[in-house]
Amino acid sequence: QIQLTESGGGLVQAGDSLMLTCVANTASGRAFSTYTMGWFRRVPGKERAFVAAISGNGKNKYLRDSEKGRFTISRDNAKNTLYLHVDKLRPDDTADYYCGAKNFWGRHSDPNDYLAWGHGTWVTVSS
């Protein structure tokens, strides 16, 4: 079992940068590095949308085409922590951002493949 807690959201201005953090509690003893991790976001009334994924060792990354260039996903396995850095924030980046954990690399955008989620951290980008 893995428990995830996101932080770093808040109210920011368009054009600003932001770092979101997801800390994992692996109480079962299974190493954080064995999980593929992903970031999704959701706005009210819409489905959760894939943003980025990273493999357990951090060597493989996958981002949705629209996010490439502004979004960077990374992880520090020694700290059981996942990051999402966003540059040049836009008002349409306003959403609740979630991190998720799953057992395999691939098929990144299907939220049903993720076995654990955090509660989300809300980001509001003002124009």
Side-chain angles (χ1 to χ4, degrees):
Q1 185 74 15
I2 182 172
Q3 295 178 322
L4 304 171
T5 304
E6 303 93 337
S7 63
L11 175 63
V12 295
Q13 298 288 322
D16 285 352
S17 298
L18 191 67
M19 177 74 86
L20 302 180
T21 299
C22 170
V23 177
N25 180 355
T26 56
S28 66
R30 176 179 168 183
F32 177 62
S33 61
T34 66
Y35 294 93
T36 289
M37 299 298 296
W39 283 101
F40 284 68
R41 65 184 184 183
R42 180 167 59 192
V43 298
K46 294 191 175 182
E47 296 293 321
R48 198 172 301 194
F50 172 77
V51 174
I54 187 168
S55 61
N57 60 12
K59 292 182 179 180
N60 297 304
K61 302 176 183 179
Y62 181 80
L63 288 88
R64 201 171 62 177
D65 285 345
S66 58
E67 267 69 17
K68 291 178 181 178
R70 292 197 305 122
F71 288 64
T72 304
I73 187 171
S74 62
R75 66 192 295 162
D76 184 339
N77 287 338
K79 296 181 179 179
N80 283 9
T81 303
L82 173 74
Y83 303 98
L84 182 70
H85 186 260
V86 188
D87 285 323
K88 301 177 182 177
L89 282 153
R90 307 185 305 225
D92 62 359
D93 291 320
T94 295
D96 211 355
Y97 284 74
Y98 297 86
C99 62
K102 65 176 186 176
N103 289 322
F104 62 93
W105 177 252
R107 208 165 66 202
H108 307 291
S109 62
D110 188 347
N112 294 316
D113 287 333
Y114 290 77
L115 53 88
W117 294 96
H119 294 294
T121 184
W122 184 261
V123 175
T124 301
V125 184
S126 63
S127 57

PDB file of all heavy atoms in Angstrom, residues 56-75:
ATOM      1  N   GLY A  56      10.086   4.216 -12.570  1.00  0.00           N
ATOM      2  CA  GLY A  56      10.561   4.039 -11.204  1.00  0.00           C
ATOM      3  C   GLY A  56      11.968   4.556 -10.968  1.00  0.00           C
ATOM      4  O   GLY A  56      12.254   5.148  -9.913  1.00  0.00           O
ATOM      5  N   ASN A  57      12.849   4.360 -11.934  1.00  0.00           N
ATOM      6  CA  ASN A  57      14.231   4.825 -11.764  1.00  0.00           C
ATOM      7  C   ASN A  57      14.435   6.241 -12.279  1.00  0.00           C
ATOM      8  O   ASN A  57      15.538   6.769 -12.217  1.00  0.00           O
ATOM      9  CB  ASN A  57      15.212   3.868 -12.448  1.00  0.00           C
ATOM     10  CG  ASN A  57      14.963   3.743 -13.939  1.00  0.00           C
ATOM     11  OD1 ASN A  57      14.200   4.520 -14.527  1.00  0.00           O
ATOM     12  ND2 ASN A  57      15.601   2.773 -14.558  1.00  0.00           N
ATOM     13  N   GLY A  58      13.385   6.841 -12.786  1.00  0.00           N
ATOM     14  CA  GLY A  58      13.456   8.229 -13.235  1.00  0.00           C
ATOM     15  C   GLY A  58      14.039   8.423 -14.615  1.00  0.00           C
ATOM     16  O   GLY A  58      14.118   9.556 -15.095  1.00  0.00           O
ATOM     17  N   LYS A  59      14.440   7.356 -15.278  1.00  0.00           N
ATOM     18  CA  LYS A  59      15.128   7.503 -16.564  1.00  0.00           C
ATOM     19  C   LYS A  59      14.161   7.713 -17.724  1.00  0.00           C
ATOM     20  O   LYS A  59      14.539   8.271 -18.753  1.00  0.00           O
ATOM     21  CB  LYS A  59      16.000   6.279 -16.809  1.00  0.00           C
ATOM     22  CG  LYS A  59      17.183   6.173 -15.864  1.00  0.00           C
ATOM     23  CD  LYS A  59      18.050   4.962 -16.187  1.00  0.00           C
ATOM     24  CE  LYS A  59      19.253   4.894 -15.244  1.00  0.00           C
ATOM     25  NZ  LYS A  59      20.108   3.712 -15.538  1.00  0.00           N
ATOM     26  N   ASN A  60      12.949   7.231 -17.594  1.00  0.00           N
ATOM     27  CA  ASN A  60      11.960   7.375 -18.662  1.00  0.00           C
ATOM     28  C   ASN A  60      10.876   8.351 -18.226  1.00  0.00           C
ATOM     29  O   ASN A  60      10.356   8.257 -17.110  1.00  0.00           O
ATOM     30  CB  ASN A  60      11.326   6.024 -18.979  1.00  0.00           C
ATOM     31  CG  ASN A  60      12.343   5.040 -19.492  1.00  0.00           C
ATOM     32  OD1 ASN A  60      13.038   5.290 -20.460  1.00  0.00           O
ATOM     33  ND2 ASN A  60      12.446   3.901 -18.836  1.00  0.00           N
ATOM     34  N   LYS A  61      10.559   9.273 -19.113  1.00  0.00           N
ATOM     35  CA  LYS A  61       9.530  10.268 -18.842  1.00  0.00           C
ATOM     36  C   LYS A  61       8.625  10.376 -20.050  1.00  0.00           C
ATOM     37  O   LYS A  61       9.077  10.241 -21.190  1.00  0.00           O
ATOM     38  CB  LYS A  61      10.160  11.631 -18.524  1.00  0.00           C
ATOM     39  CG  LYS A  61      11.118  11.602 -17.345  1.00  0.00           C
ATOM     40  CD  LYS A  61      11.782  12.950 -17.138  1.00  0.00           C
ATOM     41  CE  LYS A  61      12.796  12.851 -15.999  1.00  0.00           C
ATOM     42  NZ  LYS A  61      13.483  14.150 -15.767  1.00  0.00           N
ATOM     43  N   TYR A  62       7.381  10.644 -19.774  1.00  0.00           N
ATOM     44  CA  TYR A  62       6.417  10.827 -20.860  1.00  0.00           C
ATOM     45  C   TYR A  62       5.492  11.970 -20.499  1.00  0.00           C
ATOM     46  O   TYR A  62       4.917  12.002 -19.410  1.00  0.00           O
ATOM     47  CB  TYR A  62       5.615   9.540 -21.089  1.00  0.00           C
ATOM     48  CG  TYR A  62       4.621   9.651 -22.208  1.00  0.00           C
ATOM     49  CD1 TYR A  62       5.034   9.523 -23.532  1.00  0.00           C
ATOM     50  CD2 TYR A  62       3.276   9.902 -21.961  1.00  0.00           C
ATOM     51  CE1 TYR A  62       4.124   9.638 -24.568  1.00  0.00           C
ATOM     52  CE2 TYR A  62       2.368  10.015 -22.987  1.00  0.00           C
ATOM     53  CZ  TYR A  62       2.795   9.877 -24.283  1.00  0.00           C
ATOM     54  OH  TYR A  62       1.907   9.993 -25.312  1.00  0.00           O
ATOM     55  N   LEU A  63       5.356  12.920 -21.392  1.00  0.00           N
ATOM     56  CA  LEU A  63       4.472  14.058 -21.188  1.00  0.00           C
ATOM     57  C   LEU A  63       3.515  14.165 -22.356  1.00  0.00           C
ATOM     58  O   LEU A  63       3.864  13.852 -23.498  1.00  0.00           O
ATOM     59  CB  LEU A  63       5.266  15.356 -21.067  1.00  0.00           C
ATOM     60  CG  LEU A  63       6.058  15.572 -19.787  1.00  0.00           C
ATOM     61  CD1 LEU A  63       7.449  14.969 -19.899  1.00  0.00           C
ATOM     62  CD2 LEU A  63       6.147  17.056 -19.457  1.00  0.00           C
ATOM     63  N   ARG A  64       2.330  14.626 -22.058  1.00  0.00           N
ATOM     64  CA  ARG A  64       1.370  14.890 -23.115  1.00  0.00           C
ATOM     65  C   ARG A  64       1.944  15.982 -24.019  1.00  0.00           C
ATOM     66  O   ARG A  64       2.618  16.896 -23.547  1.00  0.00           O
ATOM     67  CB  ARG A  64       0.046  15.351 -22.503  1.00  0.00           C
ATOM     68  CG  ARG A  64      -1.151  15.198 -23.386  1.00  0.00           C
ATOM     69  CD  ARG A  64      -2.422  15.463 -22.631  1.00  0.00           C
ATOM     70  NE  ARG A  64      -2.494  16.828 -22.127  1.00  0.00           N
ATOM     71  CZ  ARG A  64      -3.537  17.321 -21.475  1.00  0.00           C
ATOM     72  NH1 ARG A  64      -4.570  16.535 -21.218  1.00  0.00           N
ATOM     73  NH2 ARG A  64      -3.551  18.554 -21.048  1.00  0.00           N
ATOM     74  N   ASP A  65       1.715  15.872 -25.305  1.00  0.00           N
ATOM     75  CA  ASP A  65       2.336  16.786 -26.268  1.00  0.00           C
ATOM     76  C   ASP A  65       2.114  18.248 -25.906  1.00  0.00           C
ATOM     77  O   ASP A  65       3.009  19.078 -26.029  1.00  0.00           O
ATOM     78  CB  ASP A  65       1.801  16.513 -27.674  1.00  0.00           C
ATOM     79  CG  ASP A  65       2.402  15.256 -28.269  1.00  0.00           C
ATOM     80  OD1 ASP A  65       3.420  14.774 -27.735  1.00  0.00           O
ATOM     81  OD2 ASP A  65       1.849  14.742 -29.258  1.00  0.00           O
ATOM     82  N   SER A  66       0.905  18.556 -25.449  1.00  0.00           N
ATOM     83  CA  SER A  66       0.594  19.961 -25.148  1.00  0.00           C
ATOM     84  C   SER A  66       1.370  20.465 -23.947  1.00  0.00           C
ATOM     85  O   SER A  66       1.483  21.666 -23.740  1.00  0.00           O
ATOM     86  CB  SER A  66      -0.904  20.121 -24.908  1.00  0.00           C
ATOM     87  OG  SER A  66      -1.324  19.289 -23.839  1.00  0.00           O
ATOM     88  N   GLU A  67       1.904  19.553 -23.123  1.00  0.00           N
ATOM     89  CA  GLU A  67       2.626  19.945 -21.916  1.00  0.00           C
ATOM     90  C   GLU A  67       4.137  20.026 -22.125  1.00  0.00           C
ATOM     91  O   GLU A  67       4.856  20.567 -21.291  1.00  0.00           O
ATOM     92  CB  GLU A  67       2.335  18.958 -20.770  1.00  0.00           C
ATOM     93  CG  GLU A  67       1.193  19.378 -19.868  1.00  0.00           C
ATOM     94  CD  GLU A  67      -0.142  19.304 -20.577  1.00  0.00           C
ATOM     95  OE1 GLU A  67      -0.249  18.667 -21.607  1.00  0.00           O
ATOM     96  OE2 GLU A  67      -1.098  19.911 -20.075  1.00  0.00           O
ATOM     97  N   LYS A  68       4.614  19.463 -23.232  1.00  0.00           N
ATOM     98  CA  LYS A  68       6.058  19.457 -23.446  1.00  0.00           C
ATOM     99  C   LYS A  68       6.561  20.891 -23.585  1.00  0.00           C
ATOM    100  O   LYS A  68       5.982  21.714 -24.265  1.00  0.00           O
ATOM    101  CB  LYS A  68       6.386  18.657 -24.708  1.00  0.00           C
ATOM    102  CG  LYS A  68       6.132  17.171 -24.535  1.00  0.00           C
ATOM    103  CD  LYS A  68       6.427  16.413 -25.823  1.00  0.00           C
ATOM    104  CE  LYS A  68       6.146  14.928 -25.624  1.00  0.00           C
ATOM    105  NZ  LYS A  68       6.367  14.146 -26.859  1.00  0.00           N
ATOM    106  N   GLY A  69       7.684  21.156 -22.924  1.00  0.00           N
ATOM    107  CA  GLY A  69       8.263  22.483 -22.981  1.00  0.00           C
ATOM    108  C   GLY A  69       7.950  23.322 -21.764  1.00  0.00           C
ATOM    109  O   GLY A  69       8.753  24.163 -21.366  1.00  0.00           O
ATOM    110  N   ARG A  70       6.787  23.123 -21.167  1.00  0.00           N
ATOM    111  CA  ARG A  70       6.441  23.900 -19.963  1.00  0.00           C
ATOM    112  C   ARG A  70       6.414  23.065 -18.701  1.00  0.00           C
ATOM    113  O   ARG A  70       6.569  23.587 -17.615  1.00  0.00           O
ATOM    114  CB  ARG A  70       5.070  24.545 -20.124  1.00  0.00           C
ATOM    115  CG  ARG A  70       4.989  25.643 -21.157  1.00  0.00           C
ATOM    116  CD  ARG A  70       3.742  26.504 -20.972  1.00  0.00           C
ATOM    117  NE  ARG A  70       2.519  25.717 -20.959  1.00  0.00           N
ATOM    118  CZ  ARG A  70       1.656  25.708 -19.947  1.00  0.00           C
ATOM    119  NH1 ARG A  70       1.890  26.425 -18.859  1.00  0.00           N
ATOM    120  NH2 ARG A  70       0.554  24.984 -20.023  1.00  0.00           N
ATOM    121  N   PHE A  71       6.182  21.753 -18.854  1.00  0.00           N
ATOM    122  CA  PHE A  71       6.062  20.871 -17.692  1.00  0.00           C
ATOM    123  C   PHE A  71       7.287  19.955 -17.610  1.00  0.00           C
ATOM    124  O   PHE A  71       7.734  19.423 -18.624  1.00  0.00           O
ATOM    125  CB  PHE A  71       4.799  19.998 -17.804  1.00  0.00           C
ATOM    126  CG  PHE A  71       3.514  20.750 -17.605  1.00  0.00           C
ATOM    127  CD1 PHE A  71       3.119  21.742 -18.480  1.00  0.00           C
ATOM    128  CD2 PHE A  71       2.687  20.436 -16.541  1.00  0.00           C
ATOM    129  CE1 PHE A  71       1.929  22.431 -18.290  1.00  0.00           C
ATOM    130  CE2 PHE A  71       1.490  21.102 -16.344  1.00  0.00           C
ATOM    131  CZ  PHE A  71       1.106  22.103 -17.221  1.00  0.00           C
ATOM    132  N   THR A  72       7.780  19.781 -16.398  1.00  0.00           N
ATOM    133  CA  THR A  72       8.902  18.871 -16.150  1.00  0.00           C
ATOM    134  C   THR A  72       8.561  17.972 -14.972  1.00  0.00           C
ATOM    135  O   THR A  72       8.221  18.474 -13.893  1.00  0.00           O
ATOM    136  CB  THR A  72      10.184  19.654 -15.837  1.00  0.00           C
ATOM    137  OG1 THR A  72      10.474  20.566 -16.899  1.00  0.00           O
ATOM    138  CG2 THR A  72      11.358  18.697 -15.654  1.00  0.00           C
ATOM    139  N   ILE A  73       8.648  16.675 -15.209  1.00  0.00           N
ATOM    140  CA  ILE A  73       8.407  15.716 -14.129  1.00  0.00           C
ATOM    141  C   ILE A  73       9.736  15.140 -13.679  1.00  0.00           C
ATOM    142  O   ILE A  73      10.628  14.888 -14.504  1.00  0.00           O
ATOM    143  CB  ILE A  73       7.433  14.601 -14.584  1.00  0.00           C
ATOM    144  CG1 ILE A  73       7.059  13.699 -13.404  1.00  0.00           C
ATOM    145  CG2 ILE A  73       8.004  13.800 -15.737  1.00  0.00           C
ATOM    146  CD1 ILE A  73       5.928  12.719 -13.733  1.00  0.00           C
ATOM    147  N   SER A  74       9.877  14.953 -12.375  1.00  0.00           N
ATOM    148  CA  SER A  74      11.100  14.386 -11.821  1.00  0.00           C
ATOM    149  C   SER A  74      10.766  13.694 -10.511  1.00  0.00           C
ATOM    150  O   SER A  74       9.659  13.830  -9.989  1.00  0.00           O
ATOM    151  CB  SER A  74      12.160  15.472 -11.616  1.00  0.00           C
ATOM    152  OG  SER A  74      11.705  16.450 -10.691  1.00  0.00           O
ATOM    153  N   ARG A  75      11.729  12.965  -9.992  1.00  0.00           N
ATOM    154  CA  ARG A  75      11.519  12.274  -8.725  1.00  0.00           C
ATOM    155  C   ARG A  75      12.834  12.142  -7.986  1.00  0.00           C
ATOM    156  O   ARG A  75      13.905  12.112  -8.598  1.00  0.00           O
ATOM    157  CB  ARG A  75      10.879  10.899  -8.939  1.00  0.00           C
ATOM    158  CG  ARG A  75      11.744   9.903  -9.678  1.00  0.00           C
ATOM    159  CD  ARG A  75      10.940   8.680 -10.110  1.00  0.00           C
ATOM    160  NE  ARG A  75      10.450   7.908  -8.972  1.00  0.00           N
ATOM    161  CZ  ARG A  75       9.456   7.009  -9.062  1.00  0.00           C
ATOM    162  NH1 ARG A  75       8.877   6.787 -10.226  1.00  0.00           N
ATOM    163  NH2 ARG A  75       9.073   6.335  -7.978  1.00  0.00           N
TER     164      ARG A  75
END
